[in-house]
Amino acid sequence: MRDSFDVVVIGSGAGGAPIANRLVRQGKSVLVFDKGPLLRPDYEVPGRRSDYRRDELFSSGAEKILRVPGLANAGVSYYSSHVEPDINDEPHVYRGPDNRDYGTIEGYTAQVVGGGTQLYGGVSLRFTPTDLRLKSFNEQRRSPLKDDPAGDVKREARDWPYDYATLEPYYAMAEELVGICGTNDNQQKPFTSGNRYQPPLQPNPISAYANDGMAELGRRLGSNIEPYRTPLAVITRDHAPSGRKIPRDAAGNPDPESAKTSYVNRYGDPLGLKSNTWVSLLGPVAREAGFEIRPNCVVTHLSSQNGRVTQVHYLDPGGIARTVSGRIVVVACSAIESVRLLKLSAAQDDDFDRRINQNPLLGRYFLTHCFGGARALMPGRFDKSKALDADWATDCCATDEFLEANNLWAGAAIYNNTSDQALPLSLFRTHGSQDLDTLWNGFMSDVGMRADGFIKFLDDEFGRGLSISFMANQVPQFDNRIELHPTVKDKWGRPVAYVIKTWHPHDRYLMDTMARQCGNVLRYGGDPVGRNYPIQGQGAIYMAENALARMANHILGGARFGTDPKDSVLDPQNRAWEFDNLYVTDGAFMPTSGGANPTLTIQANAFRVADHLLTRV
Amino acid sequence: MAVAVRDPGSEYVLNHCTKHLSRSGPPPEPGDEAAATAFRARIAEAWRFPIVGFVREVRPDDAPPVNLVTFVYKTTPGDGRPVAVLGTFGTLYEPIPLTPVLFEGEDTGYRAVSVEVPVAELHLYKYLVDGRFVLDPINPQRKRLANGRTWSRFFTDGFLQPIILEPWELRILYRLIDQILPFRSGDAENFLRRYYFGLNRDQRKAEMPKAFRLDESVGEVNAIDKLLARDEAHRLADYRICLKQIDRALRQQNPFVEPYEMPAEDFIELYDKMANGVTIAGWDYGAYADPKFFLYLLRRHAVTTAFAHPRYAGNVGAAGWAYLEFRYADRNKKTLFDWRAALEKPLGTSPYYS
């Protein structure tokens, strides 16, 4: 078994795969680890039957019971996807508002080759230029910030060590190499490298309300900013960089509509049209001599000498402890698990400990997103089963003018969700609950929904629900952090991750403000005359019972990068300060979480780091 | 009967077993039931074994539907003791050897073999480890035969016979689910009749017996039986206890008729009491404190089995989906739930997804 490589990448998702792709293409030897299985799209299986299925019990399956001793919610039910870990085996523990510890399924991006990109909806937005310079923006702002009496924002906000112009070519590279469809007109971000999107598919007809409502919102805000087609990691044309082809119909013509199904968000795509990192970046280089992948292997810790990571310790699928070495080691197993891996390594290795903890910041400034939105039952009914995750987006709440006018520190992307609640079980199990920890609860306890009442529910809801979401920056706080849990261990006996986080008062204000704008999109869009369509509700995650657990699987920060070794864990090239060859490239590097879904930015930054690594190996 | 042994490759086996079976501590020694029980208790989804999956090779269009059933036995790497499986899916005199599953050329300690088994079948099996017959230490499904011997058990997709619930339990369950799902209200019931009748002859031959077997609806009760036999076996105790309470409560409510023959009003009354936390005469609260909790469970199971993929034995002939398909249409009578387009043939019509 080969045990030495130019680069060892831990994690095959958005942060790791771009690096593997670029370095293998340049003739380097790269080993990629993933804790989860390598499930293949149909075209890699002889009988063309993928292990990803269009089956609603694959996204949230049979009931399991949390049985971890000592957790306040032991005994609760959870329903995970086929590629999420069993939380009894490897729980994420968070500290609840009552200071007791709870287990959660939130914050796992999936344990499978491709990571979170297997299950995500594929929303692939860029961050705005302001998102990368929130410190400067807020220092220079004219209007005061609301609900920030202690001045936390100005003290804690950080500019990224590079500006948007530096990242822009890598956004373009990611859009091209990953395979993204969408439109760039009306986006409030410069596309100086040109438009690399594939054309979008026709939107689901229910999204017309969202389009109209977003346009009206732009007019009412005075900016007249129009919506654009949400960039989605789904190919709609043959994709040369990955060699993927659109399925051909009986006449031999490409049929891009074959990608359009609501078995999309929280489903792996059996056809490989959703651009997860296996089909877009790793599979295409899998036959190159330099590439090797070891799925079903868990990296337990790293050890170092004099600032060089010398060994990567892992358990093979049979649980046998093994090691490999790499000239460069890239940690990219999602922010929580990466921080955990670094802390577990420090606990076992003095040199590693001294260097990674040269300041107290590892695990600190953990971030997720401020998110929420609004929902309404629209006047018309549509076939939502033929949809992708989102059709329209608007940046009208992300401009500097909007932030000044609304006393906000940072902006948000707003988009409509099209595929949510489109399929029968997803409609029932998310009725009255929006997150993974509380699936089914609303339906089970709505005991009045029975017989005729059941039909009435379907008549009201099926094919009529439209939701609008916002995705916004969370204020960085030193006390929001990832630690190793003092008592709870995983199935291998290793301490699990302990998530401690709260919402800042300004976060709450921001979420209320953005949720109202999402509600307005529906009010305007559902009623083109009076612009006052009744909605079911609007809100944000801080209101949820488990608000401190919620993270939309956008798990960021905890090892932020920066220019000052005293103020960051990573240098501007994502290299851990005090280490020669250790890089962290998942969302952990982000000093601020951005006003949009993070995957494309993680990918773009990883392509940037790949260019840097090519100068080193 | 000759068994078709297939080799899906070690990647397939490891993909499906590592998450569950790779954990600290040694695997149980063959025949050590106490160690096996302790090992199994740590696995959240031990019921996934043996792995009931799909054949990976190309199969002719007219080949009868089968599952690929993969038996996995965990030992320590380098253990040379032979492991084989003997079961009713094959001949009972010819054990089929399991072979080491390799990772990068090295022994993982897993032993596995994959065989084709027709869908809708139930089988018993044992492992033969170093000349000794043992139960599957991972799979919690067991069947105790009349002769007192216990075997390990599995079933393939769409299995139709009741496995775990008694006939009287199934009958009461059928009536209870009437109170949750809409399929026995006038319109819906008529729809289902027409739908099943409208299936073509081959489909009807395949689907009708399932639909009309235990209940005239979409097979929820049968599928709940499967759920309790395997995926959610931890909930069997809830059903066992509560169906007994419900039987007793109904008899107190209406002493003149067998519970399953009672008029709907009796079930409505009971449902309301369960839903509203009203004290139910005849319910032993010492045995099960919260009737409402059982109602919640039943609601989730009813709707899951009615609308999940038919491979789980409910939603027979996709009748649950068809109900939505025909109920919701635009003004040109075009359906607003075209579920077939995304799904595999012969259930669906996708030319691309199989």
Side-chain angles (χ1 to χ4, degrees):
Chain A
M1 199 180 309
R2 182 167 178 184
D3 62 3
S4 164
F5 297 84
D6 289 331
V7 183
V8 175
V9 179
I10 304 161
S12 60
I19 291 173
N21 173 282
R22 295 291 283 167
L23 273 83
V24 169
R25 292 268 196 226
Q26 296 299 317
K28 311 300 176 193
S29 64
V30 178
L31 170 64
V32 178
F33 280 112
D34 205 282
K35 200 185 276 182
L38 170 46
L39 303 183
R40 294 175 181 275
D42 62 3
Y43 55 83
E44 292 181 5
V45 180
R48 296 195 71 93
R49 230 174 187 193
S50 171
D51 287 312
Y52 290 114
R53 309 301 303 163
R54 292 174 174 174
D55 174 336
E56 285 207 83
L57 294 186
F58 271 53
S59 69
S60 299
E63 180 194 50
K64 289 180 274 187
I65 310 287
L66 179 70
R67 300 193 190 282
V68 179
L71 295 183
N73 60 339
V76 298
S77 310
Y78 66 102
Y79 311 90
S80 52
S81 122
H82 66 128
V83 290
E84 283 166 325
D86 291 326
I87 55 174
N88 285 313
D89 283 342
E90 200 173 12
H92 280 164
V93 178
Y94 73 99
R95 187 183 288 171
D98 55 1
N99 256 343
R100 300 201 298 162
D101 289 347
Y102 293 78
T104 178
I105 190 72
E106 288 274 320
Y108 270 115
T109 55
Q111 282 182 4
V112 64
V113 171
T117 66
Q118 290 290 2
L119 299 191
Y120 74 157
V123 172
S124 296
L125 292 157
R126 298 180 175 195
F127 290 176
T128 65
T130 302
D131 282 331
L132 273 51
R133 51 182 298 277
L134 285 171
K135 181 182 177 65
S136 304
F137 171 74
N138 282 289
E139 280 172 353
Q140 295 152 9
R141 65 177 306 131
R142 300 182 302 277
S143 73
L145 285 172
K146 192 110 188 254
D147 290 347
D148 182 29
D152 297 329
V153 166
K154 281 186 185 167
R155 191 178 65 253
E156 299 291 17
R158 293 291 179 277
D159 290 351
W160 289 30
Y162 53 71
D163 61 7
Y164 179 90
T166 307
L167 192 58
E168 201 282 336
Y170 295 104
Y171 271 136
M173 181 186 285
E175 283 154 356
E176 180 171 344
L177 296 185
V178 172
I180 312 275
C181 70
T183 55
N184 65 341
D185 285 349
N186 302 325
Q187 290 201 41
Q188 301 301 300
K189 309 126 195 170
F191 279 65
T192 38
S193 300
N195 179 2
R196 310 288 177 93
Y197 292 139
Q198 293 193 341
L201 301 178
Q202 283 300 308
N204 186 282
I206 199 169
S207 300
Y209 298 116
N211 181 25
D212 184 32
M214 288 177 188
E216 178 67 12
L217 180 65
R219 283 192 288 275
R220 298 229 177 173
L221 292 174
S223 60
N224 290 320
I225 290 174
E226 297 267 332
Y228 52 93
R229 293 299 308 283
T230 314
L232 296 172
V234 173
I235 58 165
T236 60
R237 298 287 184 273
D238 290 350
H239 183 247
S242 65
R244 285 178 290 159
K245 296 255 191 286
I246 299 299
R248 265 43 180 184
D249 65 17
N253 298 314
D255 181 3
E257 290 290 312
S258 57
K260 203 190 274 176
T261 167
S262 289
Y263 293 99
V264 57
N265 189 8
R266 286 188 58 74
Y267 294 87
D269 178 7
L271 306 186
L273 301 173
K274 184 161 87 177
S275 298
N276 68 71
T277 55
W278 172 256
V279 299
S280 63
L281 298 174
L282 299 179
V285 300
R287 288 172 190 280
E288 308 263 343
F291 181 80
E292 190 170 331
I293 185 160
R294 294 187 188 163
N296 299 306
C297 290
V298 56
V299 173
T300 56
H301 59 288
L302 314 174
S303 49
S304 66
Q305 281 174 5
N306 302 322
R308 281 192 63 79
V309 174
T310 48
Q311 288 195 303
V312 175
H313 302 258
Y314 71 102
L315 299 173
D316 77 8
I320 307 301
R322 301 184 186 280
T323 59
V324 293
S325 64
R327 291 165 65 195
I328 301 286
V329 174
V330 176
V331 175
C333 29
S334 88
I336 295 176
E337 289 299 310
S338 286
V339 168
R340 177 179 172 223
L341 177 62
L342 297 175
K343 285 182 177 273
L344 288 169
S345 304
Q348 297 193 47
D349 184 299
D350 287 343
D351 183 72
F352 198 96
D353 182 25
R354 196 168 56 250
R355 290 168 188 277
I356 201 72
N357 290 315
Q358 51 93 17
N359 66 30
L361 292 180
L362 179 63
R364 297 280 174 171
Y365 298 105
F366 174 66
L367 295 163
T368 173
H369 271 124
C370 288
F371 67 102
R375 183 174 194 273
L377 295 173
M378 304 318 288
R381 192 189 306 280
F382 302 92
D383 189 350
K384 286 184 60 176
S385 71
K386 290 177 180 168
L388 294 175
D389 191 47
D391 281 327
W392 293 101
T394 177
D395 290 343
C396 67
C397 296
T399 62
D400 292 358
E401 294 72 29
F402 180 85
L403 306 187
E404 291 280 8
N406 288 278
N407 312 94
L408 290 166
W409 84 294
I414 287 178
Y415 53 89
N416 79 302
N417 301 106
T418 319
S419 66
D420 64 323
Q421 300 196 317
L423 301 168
L425 288 185
S426 75
L427 177 62
F428 295 123
R429 66 189 166 210
T430 59
H431 168 57
S433 71
Q434 288 99 29
D435 70 282
L436 300 178
D437 283 341
T438 56
L439 282 183
W440 282 117
N441 289 357
F443 173 80
M444 290 196 295
S445 58
D446 190 355
V447 290
M449 191 208 294
R450 51 186 287 204
D452 289 349
F454 195 103
I455 293 180
K456 181 172 183 321
F457 170 80
L458 286 170
D459 287 352
D460 287 346
E461 301 263 344
F462 196 73
R464 291 188 57 208
L466 182 61
S467 57
I468 310 289
S469 295
F470 68 84
M471 200 58 69
N473 281 276
Q474 178 185 6
V475 174
Q477 298 185 71
F478 180 76
D479 282 338
N480 283 353
R481 61 194 188 273
I482 306 299
E483 294 183 350
L484 297 181
H485 197 276
T487 55
V488 180
K489 305 278 197 294
D490 70 10
K491 63 177 179 174
W492 296 283
R494 309 182 311 149
V496 302
Y498 189 21
V499 181
I500 300 166
K501 69 180 177 73
T502 58
W503 298 106
H504 189 277
H506 187 74
D507 290 333
R508 295 166 197 263
Y509 166 71
L510 180 150
M511 287 191 258
D512 289 344
T513 306
M514 294 298 182
R516 201 161 49 243
Q517 301 305 336
C518 292
N520 285 341
V521 169
L522 293 168
R523 288 182 193 97
Y524 305 155
D527 174 9
V529 180
R531 300 294 190 190
N532 194 25
Y533 189 76
I535 68 170
Q536 284 182 312
Q538 65 193 31
I541 51 168
Y542 76 86
M543 302 165 175
E545 188 188 334
N546 59 341
L548 301 184
R550 299 290 304 282
M551 38 196 128
N553 288 342
H554 297 174
I555 48 184
L556 310 164
R560 70 182 183 191
F561 71 167
T563 51
D564 179 356
K566 292 194 198 64
D567 188 53
S568 52
V569 177
L570 308 175
D571 79 2
Q573 303 295 357
N574 288 55
R575 183 179 58 94
W577 294 107
E578 308 282 323
F579 285 88
D580 174 57
N581 65 339
L582 174 62
Y583 291 77
V584 181
T585 59
D586 54 43
F589 78 91
M590 294 190 185
T592 55
S593 50
N597 306 46
T599 304
L600 183 75
T601 302
I602 296 172
Q603 290 166 329
N605 181 67
F607 280 120
R608 184 190 66 95
V609 173
D611 269 1
H612 160 74
L613 294 179
L614 282 169
T615 66
R616 296 202 58 197
V617 293
Chain B
M1 176 173 74
V3 182
V5 175
R6 298 284 172 226
D7 178 13
S10 59
E11 179 185 284
Y12 174 86
V13 179
L14 295 174
N15 279 345
H16 288 84
C17 78
T18 307
K19 165 180 168 179
H20 309 287
L21 303 186
S22 174
R23 47 188 67 240
S24 63
E29 273 297 301
D32 184 344
E33 267 300 302
T37 303
F39 187 75
R40 190 164 60 241
R42 293 169 57 205
I43 306 171
E45 294 171 292
W47 59 265
R48 289 193 185 272
F49 295 87
I51 303 153
V52 179
F54 304 108
V55 173
R56 300 177 71 75
E57 287 94 347
V58 182
R59 301 182 82 240
D61 284 344
D62 56 353
V66 295
N67 281 121
L68 183 73
V69 177
T70 302
F71 297 91
V72 182
Y73 185 88
K74 182 176 166 74
T75 182
T76 43
D79 183 344
R81 290 176 291 186
V83 182
V85 62
L86 186 77
T88 54
F89 55 89
T91 54
L92 280 173
Y93 52 86
E94 235 173 350
I96 305 165
L98 278 66
T99 54
V101 180
L102 303 184
F103 174 74
E104 301 284 322
E106 307 217 12
D107 185 6
T108 56
Y110 302 116
R111 308 287 178 258
V113 68
S114 297
V115 298
E116 286 184 9
V117 179
V119 298
E121 291 190 355
L122 177 143
H123 292 288
L124 304 179
Y125 69 99
K126 281 185 182 183
Y127 285 129
L128 184 61
V129 184
D130 205 18
R132 181 174 169 197
F133 283 105
V134 298
L135 294 168
D136 186 337
I138 302 161
N139 176 9
Q141 289 191 69
R142 305 278 166 91
K143 164 100 178 154
R144 198 178 162 86
L145 301 181
N147 63 12
R149 302 246 166 91
T150 303
W151 288 66
S152 289
R153 180 189 76 207
F154 74 91
F155 56 92
T156 51
D157 288 351
F159 182 64
L160 301 176
Q161 316 291 326
I163 296 175
I164 203 111
L165 294 172
E166 305 286 339
W168 71 269
E169 293 174 315
L170 295 164
R171 285 196 294 262
I172 289 195
L173 207 46
Y174 168 65
R175 296 297 309 279
L176 280 168
I177 286 176
D178 270 357
Q179 295 308 315
I180 300 169
L181 296 177
F183 300 120
R184 253 81 87 191
S185 65
D187 276 0
E189 191 164 13
N190 287 337
F191 164 77
L192 287 181
R193 291 236 170 80
R194 286 197 310 275
Y195 178 70
Y196 288 127
F197 197 70
L199 295 172
N200 70 38
R201 208 178 56 169
D202 284 350
Q203 287 169 317
R204 202 155 60 229
K205 214 168 86 189
E207 305 298 349
M208 288 283 270
K210 302 179 203 169
F212 288 97
R213 175 153 212 106
L214 295 168
D215 48 11
E216 291 167 345
S217 170
V218 301
E220 311 90 43
V221 173
N222 181 38
I224 288 176
D225 176 79
K226 305 298 153 298
L227 210 48
L228 298 174
R230 189 179 64 187
D231 312 26
E232 294 194 19
H234 59 279
R235 288 298 180 198
L236 178 59
D238 296 75
Y239 276 74
R240 280 272 139 81
I241 296 167
C242 291
L243 291 173
K244 205 176 288 173
Q245 310 303 321
I246 287 165
D247 181 75
R248 194 182 308 124
L250 287 168
R251 285 176 195 280
Q252 288 212 4
Q253 227 171 257
N254 181 349
F256 308 106
V257 193
E258 279 298 301
Y260 69 90
E261 289 178 333
M262 286 179 189
E265 288 70 32
D266 281 307
F267 282 87
I268 293 172
E269 189 183 330
L270 181 70
Y271 181 103
D272 285 340
K273 286 178 185 165
M274 292 173 77
N276 297 319
V278 175
T279 304
I280 302 167
W283 189 286
D284 177 356
Y285 287 85
Y288 201 90
D290 189 0
K292 189 191 263 184
F293 182 83
F294 182 68
L295 185 64
Y296 288 3
L297 188 60
L298 201 55
R299 287 178 56 77
R300 178 171 64 79
H301 282 171
V303 80
T304 299
T305 51
F307 293 103
H309 191 287
R311 69 179 286 228
Y312 301 101
N315 190 12
V316 170
W321 294 340
Y323 174 74
L324 301 173
E325 174 189 350
F326 290 105
R327 186 168 182 86
Y328 302 113
D330 65 15
R331 65 184 65 145
N332 302 318
K333 306 268 185 199
K334 188 166 175 285
T335 180
L336 295 175
F337 184 45
D338 182 14
W339 58 270
R340 295 167 205 274
L343 293 189
E344 72 277 10
K345 293 173 182 167
L347 184 67
T349 56
S350 172
Y352 314 116
Y353 168 68
S354 59

